[in-house]
Amino acid sequence: MNFWESVRVSLRSIQTNKLRSFLTMLGIIIGVSAVIAMVAIGEGASANVASQINGLGSNLLIVSPGQARQGQISLGAGSLNTLTLADAEAIAQNESVAGVAPSINGRAQLVWRNKNYSTSLEGTSESYLQVRNTDVQQGRFFNHLEVKERANVAVVGTEVVSNLFGDAGANPVGQTIQINKIPFEIIGVLQSKGSSGMTNNDDKVIIPVTTAMDRITGGKNVGTIYVSAVSAEQMALAQADVQATLRARHHLKPKDSDDFQIRSQTDILSTAQSVTSVMTALLSGIAAISLVVGGIGIMNIMLVSVTERTREIGIRKAIGATRWDIQRQFLIESVTLSLLGGIAGILVGIGGVLLIGKLAGLPTSISLPPMLYAFLSSMLVGVIFGVYPARKASQLKPIDALRYE
Amino acid sequence: MKTVIAMENVTKIYRIGDQEIQALRGVNLAIEEGDFVAIMGPSGSGKSTMMNVIGCLDKPTSGEFYLDGHPVSEADDDELAIIRNRKIGFVFQNFNLLPRTSAVENVELPLLYAGVPAKERRERAIQALESVGLGDRLANKPNELSGGQQQRVSIARALVNHPVLLLADEPTGALDTKTSMEIMHIFQQLNEAGKTIILVTHEPDIAEYAKRIVRFRDGQVVSNELVTARRWATLQEAEVMA
């Protein structure tokens, strides 16, 4: 008996037990569609995170203060106040650096007429737009002069606009608001960037860093310095330059370790991606378990099928089927079951992913490799869990099988 | 004349728990090509075991058994399967057709395992069914056929691979008298055309359609003689009986 004859016989036997075959396949369908959906959601999330990190800026280096240590105990990044505005200006002198935006963060209470709104405040320099790869959608950003003069000007995010001016429908540009009781003129509105994870990029107010230090946060130190390199190729050079500049300015001896930290976008990206890939692996692991459970279901039903069809096996053997003929027939049947389940699972998975994407608004990414993987593993499940029942069938003695009632 | 079955001192011992059951105790038997032999005996006489051994469904415990010149005693399971496929056509009491499978596909089955290509398989199966008068029932499934028709399908299946031996185990056991006579008519016609037939039965009047009767008792052949008053099954007679 050749291969296609066996396939035909298997398909017929699946067809005669439609409901049972469907229920048997259900385990595989659930397993495969879970794999597809989990991977699609995981990859979608990871692509989303990547695009958000890329959206932070172009060729971005993030310099943050080092960690204070008490004995061997680290007090965490930013626990030292080692970065100053002068550091930022010195970094800007490097040829590999295109722009520097120091940043200082705080909370601010905004008041306009009878409205008030609490938001996050960032003090930065005029290079902000270039370094952070963004723009104003209305009005303008503050310039070098305004930074130098500690002008009371502010650029607000769209979330702030809708909260303060939304009801009145007033044009925010040109309005005077109070930030922590100090009057500021709004000169521009930031382009909307949406939220990334827990932080809403549109919910903030930006003022010159000098003004912020002087009037809002106090102190001489900046929290973070954002540096953009001239080009992607110059990233490593820029990083080395920033390090050299800061070490020189902080009078560090060669044996001293850095009292600051430089992270590049790629570092953050790979950290984030390793997190999402662990998530994806975890979800796929759970899905793989359900594939195994599905396989056990197939094995169970194949064993029932062998018992039920003992007489048929006897007839086939009496007529001249060899052990291999019988074994192959049952093996193909279990593989056919699992493959049909796999194909149905892929379709259900894709449908589910599209549905989840639409209903929950989650980013998803359907790609071919997980489908191939799911398809092949469902085939493998069919083979692994089909071997034992098939062997059992092939070893029946024809006289016993013929006598079986 | 070729010897289809040659048995020398064949024994078969079954073990059930600690008990040994001697089903065959040294059987010597030779059946020539073209013969029509009825094997008779009461239940427990060893005639079913004999049928299983002749049909290569079971191997003798000791002794020599040649089927069409092939030493069956030395064959393994798969070789036995091939011998059954090429040399023997089985007709069972309860037909043993595959359910939910059309007549023509049932008849094709031995050819399927013999590796005959699909087109030739279908042609030969149709031919075999026509030869037993079922040319108009090709697509019917067993449950859509009468007992006599089902037995004719199984005869067609037994004949389709041109075996050297037709082995029938109580072929009329589940049939009424008229249908039994029709089936015996087919067997006699096949035998007249040269087919070697072995018929296992416990009904004396069915055995009288054969040329020779071999009687078993306690696992041994007790008599082996020609039928003196042989009966002939005709279709007219079958009609009259109905």
Side-chain angles (χ1 to χ4, degrees):
Chain A
M1 182 150 71
N2 73 31
F3 177 76
W4 290 111
E5 301 291 350
S6 308
V7 173
R8 229 164 45 87
V9 170
S10 311
L11 280 177
R12 173 125 43 116
S13 122
I14 289 167
Q15 222 174 17
T16 45
N17 286 307
K18 283 193 197 71
L19 179 63
R20 192 164 87 180
S21 303
F22 171 73
L23 291 175
T24 309
M25 280 188 274
L26 207 54
I28 298 287
I29 294 175
I30 291 170
V32 168
S33 57
V35 169
I36 303 275
M38 294 305 168
V39 172
I41 291 168
E43 284 187 349
S46 139
N48 190 38
V49 167
S51 82
Q52 275 174 2
I53 290 171
N54 285 326
L56 280 179
S58 43
N59 308 324
L60 193 66
L61 292 172
I62 299 160
V63 186
S64 44
Q67 306 185 352
R69 285 183 176 277
Q70 284 185 348
Q72 289 299 309
I73 299 153
S74 163
L75 297 182
S79 50
L80 282 177
N81 288 322
T82 52
L83 298 177
T84 62
L85 272 183
D87 284 341
E89 278 157 21
I91 289 169
Q93 301 308 311
N94 288 297
E95 281 195 0
S96 56
V97 170
V100 176
S103 164
I104 185 162
N105 289 286
R107 296 295 301 177
Q109 186 74 18
L110 273 48
V111 178
W112 181 72
R113 292 185 191 164
N114 62 341
K115 300 243 177 207
N116 78 87
Y117 182 63
S118 175
T119 184
S120 65
L121 174 134
E122 183 172 0
T124 185
S125 75
E126 71 280 2
S127 303
Y128 179 88
L129 293 186
Q130 181 254 319
V131 174
R132 301 296 295 275
N133 195 21
T134 182
D135 207 351
V136 286
Q137 64 180 38
Q138 202 185 341
R140 61 176 182 86
F141 205 76
F142 44 77
N143 54 35
H144 184 63
L145 196 68
E146 283 161 327
V147 174
K148 216 171 145 190
E149 289 179 343
R150 301 166 196 200
N152 287 3
V153 289
V155 177
V156 291
T158 51
E159 189 72 27
V160 175
V161 171
S162 63
N163 275 291
L164 280 185
F165 308 102
D167 294 346
N171 181 0
V173 177
Q175 301 285 346
T176 301
I177 56 167
Q178 312 248 324
I179 300 177
N180 292 2
K181 297 185 180 139
I182 302 158
F184 278 78
E185 188 196 346
I186 295 179
I187 57 169
V189 176
L190 279 175
Q191 217 168 43
S192 174
K193 272 197 162 181
S195 55
S196 62
M198 299 296 282
T199 51
N200 186 341
N201 294 316
D202 298 330
D203 187 10
K204 62 175 170 187
V205 56
I206 297 181
I207 60 173
V209 63
T210 46
T211 320
M213 285 172 138
D214 229 33
R215 307 200 162 180
I216 313 276
T217 59
K220 286 275 171 244
N221 295 306
V222 296
T224 312
I225 301 175
Y226 294 92
V227 179
S228 77
V230 224
S231 66
E233 294 74 42
Q234 300 263 38
M235 286 284 280
L237 180 62
Q239 186 160 357
D241 285 347
V242 170
Q243 189 182 22
T245 307
L246 287 178
R247 285 187 71 90
R249 285 189 52 81
H250 294 180
H251 310 294
L252 295 175
K253 297 189 184 77
K255 66 176 170 64
D256 294 340
S257 55
D258 291 349
D259 60 351
F260 53 88
Q261 237 180 31
I262 308 172
R263 284 176 301 155
S264 68
Q265 243 169 327
T266 19
D267 294 340
I268 303 173
L269 200 60
S270 64
T271 310
Q273 273 170 346
S274 73
V275 170
T276 50
S277 71
V278 165
M279 280 277 287
T280 307
L282 205 70
L283 293 173
S284 312
I286 293 167
I289 290 172
S290 65
L291 259 183
V292 171
V293 173
I296 293 169
I298 286 188
M299 179 145 145
N300 187 22
I301 220 67
M302 289 308 295
L303 285 172
V304 171
S305 177
V306 168
T307 310
E308 266 184 1
R309 286 154 68 190
T310 300
R311 201 180 177 80
E312 176 193 327
I313 295 164
I315 296 170
R316 288 181 183 276
K317 286 198 130 185
I319 274 167
T322 59
R323 279 175 298 190
W324 172 233
D325 284 328
I326 299 294
Q327 195 170 341
R328 183 169 60 180
Q329 182 189 329
F330 279 87
L331 205 53
I332 287 177
E333 195 166 320
S334 72
V335 172
T336 308
L337 269 180
S338 65
L339 272 190
L340 285 178
I343 292 168
I346 288 173
L347 295 179
V348 170
I350 293 173
V353 165
L354 295 178
L355 204 67
I356 289 170
K358 205 158 200 139
L359 292 184
L362 282 176
T364 54
S365 140
I366 298 174
S367 54
L368 198 59
M371 279 181 226
L372 285 176
Y373 164 78
F375 189 76
L376 289 178
S377 49
S378 67
M379 191 160 100
L380 206 66
V381 161
V383 173
I384 290 170
F385 291 97
V387 163
Y388 175 68
R391 275 187 65 81
K392 207 178 152 191
S394 74
Q395 282 164 352
L396 286 173
K397 291 215 165 297
I399 32 171
D400 298 335
L402 275 176
R403 228 180 272 143
Y404 184 85
E405 290 300 330
Chain B
M1 182 94 36
K2 203 161 67 163
T3 305
V4 176
I5 301 284
M7 282 189 178
E8 267 175 53
N9 204 19
V10 165
T11 66
K12 180 72 195 179
I13 299 167
Y14 291 112
R15 280 195 180 78
I16 300 173
D18 295 337
Q19 239 185 329
E20 279 194 355
I21 295 164
Q22 287 213 320
L24 295 178
R25 307 163 183 255
V27 173
N28 293 298
L29 186 67
I31 294 173
E32 302 292 319
E33 190 178 28
D35 209 345
F36 190 166
V37 180
I39 293 177
M40 293 197 71
S43 51
S45 63
K47 70 176 194 298
S48 291
T49 307
M50 185 65 182
M51 138 100 197
N52 289 337
V53 170
I54 291 175
C56 297
L57 293 165
D58 211 351
K59 282 204 296 189
T61 308
S62 71
E64 296 295 320
F65 171 32
Y66 291 88
L67 180 88
D68 197 28
H70 290 266
V72 174
S73 323
E74 291 152 27
D76 68 19
D77 283 1
D78 283 345
E79 285 165 350
L80 286 179
I82 293 166
I83 292 173
R84 289 195 295 270
N85 184 249
R86 308 288 151 86
K87 304 276 182 201
I88 302 166
F90 286 98
V91 179
F92 299 98
Q93 174 175 7
N94 44 16
F95 324 133
N96 276 338
L97 298 173
L98 291 189
R100 299 182 292 273
T101 306
S102 72
V104 70
E105 281 174 311
N106 261 297
V107 176
E108 274 183 35
L109 218 51
L111 300 176
L112 192 70
Y113 291 115
V116 174
K119 194 162 167 281
E120 186 189 338
R121 221 158 58 207
R122 183 54 54 104
E123 283 165 4
R124 279 167 67 178
I126 292 172
Q127 223 176 357
L129 278 168
E130 280 168 350
S131 77
V132 295
L134 284 178
D136 56 342
R137 291 282 188 276
L138 301 177
N140 290 53
K141 306 207 163 116
N143 58 358
E144 297 160 357
L145 296 169
S146 70
Q149 286 170 329
Q150 288 187 59
Q151 194 57 298
R152 280 192 277 163
V153 172
S154 83
I155 293 171
R157 183 180 65 185
L159 291 172
V160 75
N161 209 13
H162 308 310
V164 293
L165 173 68
L166 199 62
L167 185 57
D169 181 20
E170 305 273 10
T172 58
L175 302 176
D176 61 32
T177 322
K178 173 187 176 246
T179 322
S180 296
M181 188 161 290
E182 284 170 5
I183 296 299
M184 292 320 295
H185 175 70
I186 293 174
F187 279 140
Q188 285 189 325
Q189 275 187 320
L190 287 168
N191 180 243
E192 289 298 297
K195 189 66 76 188
T196 314
I197 299 175
I198 296 177
L199 174 72
V200 179
T201 185
H202 66 272
E203 293 174 73
D205 43 340
I206 289 294
E208 281 167 9
Y209 289 104
K211 286 179 179 166
R212 205 142 62 95
I213 296 179
V214 175
R215 287 178 208 276
F216 271 76
R217 187 176 290 268
D218 300 328
Q220 280 175 318
V221 177
V222 290
S223 75
N224 181 353
E225 50 206 16
L226 289 173
V227 178
T228 43
R230 193 175 179 198
R231 295 172 63 168
W232 290 93
T234 59
L235 294 181
Q236 291 88 333
E237 200 179 334
E239 285 305 316
V240 171
M241 293 186 80

